[in-house]
Amino acid sequence: MAQAKKKAKAKPKKASSRARVKSAKPGRKSQAKKKAPGRKKAGAVRKRTASKQAGSAKKKASGSKRRRVAKPLRPTSNAAEMAEKQRDISVSEFFAKNRHLLGFDNPSKALLTTVKEGVDNALDACEEAGVVPDIQIEIHQKSDSRFRVVIEDNGPGIVRDQVPKIFGRLLYGSKFHRLRQSRGQQGIGISAAGMYGLLTTGKPVKIITRTGKGRQAHEFELVIDTKKNKPQVKRDLVVKWPKHHGTRVEIELEGNYRGGQHSVDNYIRQISLANPHAQITYVPPVAEEHGDKHVFPRVTRKLPAHTDEIQPHPYGIELGVLMQMFRDTGSRNLTSCLRNDFSRVSPRVASEICEKAKVSPKRRPADIRREEADAIYKAIKQTKIMSPPTDCIAPIGEDLILAALKAEVEADFYSAVTRRPTIYRGNPFLVEVGLAYGGEMPREESAALYRYANRVPLQYQQGACAITRAVSGTNWKSYMVQHPKGALPVGPLLIMVHIASVWVPFTSESKDAVAQYPEIIKEFRFALQECGRKMTNYLRKQKRVAEEAKKAAYIEKYIPQVAIGLQEILSLGDRETSKLTNKLTHVLERSRKS
């Protein structure tokens, strides 16, 4: 009975579960209805948060709108307004803002560059006039950072009308368009030094010049108008000057006087080395051991060989330059243009060029089209033309290099080499190398390297120069000298390298380093190797002599012992033993001399 009751009670449970299963849909609806208030609450929360976010977004939007309104509008310009702002820039104005390109990037270099440009102009003027140079350099210190540089020469002087243009305009000179060796090239140097002095001190350049004994001396004070690249003469007077002819330039500037490798003193010492025909008197701002002034006497009174101006070589001409020459020439036909406006072009060569280019020799150069000029340009490259003449360059010479090295440093061995002229881009050039070894020079330091271009020392940018690359690229170990890889050789060595050319390819307007043309580097290496071979022969000979002396010292040490042994064997007397000793010594000396 109890089990029946339990089963009866269990059946309604099953029925209720089935009922729940059957009424699942109505149950879900009821549950949805029950959960609806919760959803409403969640929806209300979402609405409130959304409204808050919308309100904050509106505030941000309104704030950003307010900021945009408060921010001024970006100014714009149309083409006409932009065209009105365009104007020419003078070369003086450009270099006034970029004076580092000319070597005036720091006070110490500015002082050196000013001296360098003045001395270069003085030497060029004296040599062109056939006058043995006598140059005086003075540096007077006005304050801690202000100096007055004075450069005076005995050259031909300057015509009165040309003084303002030479010292008051950049890119004005007579050397840029001439293919002949000269120190200056661009017509920038001395006028740029005056401009730097004006910018740093506000003081004008002072010039005194006289062109002859019976003529008046003129004194100028002038400044440069950088916006127009024109001189402004502040003073023009006739004065009394004891020199019969010459020029004196005074520039006051901000600078820094210091010693070392890049000092004015080192520059003057090096320039006297490359110009042995010039006497240079140097007055430093501070008296030194040798007194108030230092005189570098001339080694010779013989001036460098006269250089002639040459026409450009066809191999060095580019297509655009060739077309411009055709437009500017005064020749009536193509043949005469090639013969008169270029060097080493004979009538036969001119006819061959015209034949290869398939252009009539009688064609007017001004009427030649670009296609015809291109054909002529290619024909020039295919035609064998003699190398340009070399009477436009003047080397220092092996004898004078040796004399200058001997006057500069005490060494055990000296050598000098002057290579034959060659060409790069149609421009003739030659390379010279001088070498001094031994003496009192330091043995554990790098070799001293003096770089020159057209007799002018190159003081800065040594690492970027073709000369340095050629020296460090030469295998000095084969010449019995220590040589770290990629650096200068180490030892008691002084190397002087000079390039002479109608147009030296400098890396910048400051003329501190020679561009790394493969043809130039190859010539440098050939000259260095030739000097190295001479030095090796000397060192091997010295080593052989030292070894022989060492052996002779050993033999000489044991000669008395040999004589005593012979005395005992042959029963010789003391007198005969002494003669035997002298005889053996004489034989030893005779063998050493042979």
Side-chain angles (χ1 to χ4, degrees):
M1 290 293 289
Q3 291 178 355
K5 286 181 181 179
K6 286 181 181 179
K7 288 181 181 179
K9 288 180 181 179
K11 285 181 181 178
K13 287 182 180 179
K14 292 182 181 178
S16 62
S17 61
R18 288 175 184 172
R20 281 198 302 269
V21 172
K22 289 179 180 179
S23 62
K25 290 182 181 180
R28 286 177 185 172
K29 288 182 181 180
S30 63
Q31 285 177 5
K33 287 179 181 180
K34 287 179 181 180
K35 291 181 180 178
R39 290 185 179 179
K40 285 181 180 179
K41 288 180 181 179
V45 171
R46 283 196 293 270
K47 285 181 181 179
R48 283 198 298 271
T49 55
S51 62
K52 287 180 181 179
Q53 291 176 357
S56 62
K58 286 180 181 179
K59 288 180 181 179
K60 288 181 180 178
S62 62
S64 62
K65 285 180 181 178
R66 287 172 189 169
R67 284 196 296 272
R68 287 174 189 168
V69 172
K71 191 174 181 179
L73 296 175
R74 181 178 178 178
T76 58
S77 300
N78 55 30
E81 292 173 347
M82 294 171 67
E84 291 177 357
K85 298 176 183 178
Q86 305 293 329
R87 67 180 182 88
D88 291 332
I89 302 173
S90 72
V91 63
S92 300
E93 188 177 6
F94 173 79
F95 282 118
K97 293 183 178 180
N98 299 277
R99 58 195 182 194
H100 60 280
L101 298 176
L102 301 177
F104 297 94
D105 45 344
N106 60 71
S108 59
K109 189 176 180 182
L111 183 64
L112 174 61
T113 302
T114 301
V115 173
K116 172 179 174 292
E117 297 296 346
V119 173
D120 289 354
N121 285 4
L123 289 170
D124 274 340
C126 291
E127 291 175 9
E128 193 166 349
V131 179
V132 180
D134 191 352
I135 299 171
Q136 182 165 339
I137 304 165
E138 303 173 13
I139 300 179
H140 304 279
Q141 188 165 4
K142 310 295 288 185
S143 65
D144 291 340
S145 61
R146 184 169 292 189
F147 296 84
R148 181 166 62 90
V149 177
V150 180
I151 298 159
E152 184 177 324
D153 64 66
N154 62 334
I158 305 171
V159 178
R160 177 178 175 272
D161 295 338
Q162 291 291 316
V163 172
K165 297 177 182 178
I166 291 174
F167 293 92
R169 289 181 63 184
L170 268 66
L171 292 180
Y172 181 86
S174 60
K175 302 171 185 176
F176 185 83
H177 301 284
R178 296 186 305 177
L179 286 179
R180 56 174 291 189
Q181 180 181 337
S182 62
R183 293 170 181 82
Q185 291 187 172
Q186 302 156 344
I188 292 180
I190 195 64
S191 52
M195 182 181 68
Y196 175 80
L198 175 66
L199 292 173
T200 55
T201 65
K203 292 198 173 183
V205 184
K206 183 178 178 180
I207 306 106
I208 301 175
T209 184
R210 190 176 182 183
T211 57
K213 185 176 181 181
R215 299 179 181 178
Q216 296 176 332
H218 295 272
E219 179 180 316
F220 285 85
E221 287 187 2
L222 56 87
V223 298
I224 300 178
D225 184 356
T226 56
K227 290 187 177 181
K228 298 179 181 179
N229 191 31
K230 290 184 179 180
Q232 292 181 353
V233 179
K234 300 294 184 181
R235 188 179 182 184
D236 182 3
L237 298 175
V238 176
V239 296
K240 290 184 178 180
W241 200 39
K243 282 196 171 183
H244 298 322
H245 53 82
T247 303
R248 179 184 175 91
V249 183
E250 298 182 16
I251 300 174
E252 191 165 329
L253 55 104
E254 282 192 0
N256 182 21
Y257 182 81
R258 67 177 187 180
Q261 182 181 358
H262 303 305
S263 64
V264 177
D265 304 54
N266 192 33
Y267 163 78
I268 295 173
R269 186 177 295 107
Q270 289 190 33
I271 201 165
S272 67
L273 186 66
N275 298 271
H277 60 286
Q279 177 167 306
I280 300 176
T281 303
Y282 173 49
V283 181
V286 181
E288 300 178 357
E289 296 178 358
H290 44 70
D292 296 338
K293 62 181 181 181
H294 189 190
V295 179
F296 295 85
R298 60 174 58 91
V299 177
T300 178
R301 295 189 64 87
K302 184 179 179 181
L303 288 170
H306 177 72
T307 56
D308 296 324
E309 183 178 355
I310 64 169
Q311 296 290 347
H313 195 270
Y315 285 167
I317 297 297
E318 295 171 332
L319 178 58
V321 178
L322 181 65
M323 295 172 64
Q324 185 65 42
M325 292 180 70
F326 286 157
R327 289 192 291 267
D328 297 341
T329 185
S331 302
R332 295 184 178 181
N333 56 60
L334 179 58
T335 302
S336 59
C337 174
L338 293 173
R339 290 176 55 190
N340 299 331
D341 296 348
F342 296 93
S343 64
R344 299 300 196 188
V345 178
S346 62
R348 181 190 63 79
V349 173
S351 300
E352 186 177 350
I353 292 172
C354 294
E355 183 179 351
K356 289 182 178 179
K358 297 180 180 179
V359 179
S360 173
K362 297 181 180 180
R363 184 71 184 276
R364 285 189 60 188
D367 297 337
I368 292 178
R369 302 188 305 274
R370 194 201 68 82
E371 294 78 8
E372 295 173 322
D374 191 16
I376 295 170
Y377 176 75
K378 293 177 180 178
I380 288 173
K381 300 299 182 184
Q382 298 171 1
T383 305
K384 187 176 181 179
I385 304 174
M386 189 184 298
S387 298
T390 58
D391 54 358
C392 54
I393 51 180
I396 301 173
E398 295 180 4
D399 295 337
L400 289 178
I401 289 176
L402 290 174
L405 286 174
K406 290 176 181 178
E408 171 67 15
V409 63
E410 291 184 4
D412 300 327
F413 172 77
Y414 300 91
S415 176
V417 170
T418 299
R419 294 279 299 172
R420 294 182 60 184
T422 183
I423 60 171
Y424 76 96
R425 290 182 57 190
N427 297 313
F429 76 100
L430 63 80
V431 168
E432 298 178 288
V433 171
L435 188 146
Y437 180 85
E440 299 180 355
M441 288 185 285
R443 297 182 176 273
E444 302 300 328
E445 297 180 7
S446 297
L449 176 61
Y450 290 175
R451 300 173 295 132
Y452 294 89
N454 285 351
R455 299 174 181 262
V456 178
L458 308 179
Q459 298 287 89
Y460 286 86
Q461 298 183 18
Q462 179 171 301
C465 188
I467 296 175
T468 308
R469 180 178 175 185
V471 174
S472 59
T474 302
N475 185 16
W476 291 95
K477 290 183 179 179
S478 60
Y479 306 121
M480 304 175 68
V481 177
Q482 296 180 27
H483 185 199
K485 186 176 180 180
L488 297 177
V490 175
L493 194 63
L494 187 150
I495 304 171
M496 171 183 172
V497 183
H498 175 231
I499 176 174
S501 177
V502 296
W503 186 261
V504 179
F506 292 112
T507 57
S508 66
E509 292 84 355
S510 59
K511 298 181 291 186
D512 289 322
V514 180
Q516 299 184 12
Y517 282 88
E519 304 94 327
I520 296 177
I521 293 176
K522 183 175 70 173
E523 284 296 312
F524 283 144
R525 284 180 177 167
F526 286 162
L528 290 165
Q529 289 168 357
E530 190 170 346
C531 277
R533 286 192 291 270
K534 293 180 180 180
M535 182 179 67
T536 304
N537 293 336
Y538 166 78
L539 293 176
R540 286 175 178 170
K541 184 177 179 181
Q542 292 298 111
K543 186 177 180 181
R544 186 170 61 252
V545 169
E547 290 176 353
E548 290 176 357
K550 189 176 180 181
K551 293 177 182 178
Y554 283 129
I555 296 173
E556 190 174 357
K557 181 180 179 181
Y558 291 106
I559 281 177
Q561 303 298 327
V562 173
I564 292 171
L566 291 174
Q567 181 183 15
E568 293 177 356
I569 294 172
L570 301 175
S571 302
L572 301 175
D574 293 339
R575 188 174 180 181
E576 292 176 344
T577 304
S578 177
K579 287 182 180 181
L580 181 61
T581 304
N582 293 335
K583 200 171 208 179
L584 290 172
T585 305
H586 178 68
V587 171
L588 176 63
E589 292 294 332
R590 189 172 58 187
S591 63
R592 288 174 61 183
K593 289 180 181 179
S594 60

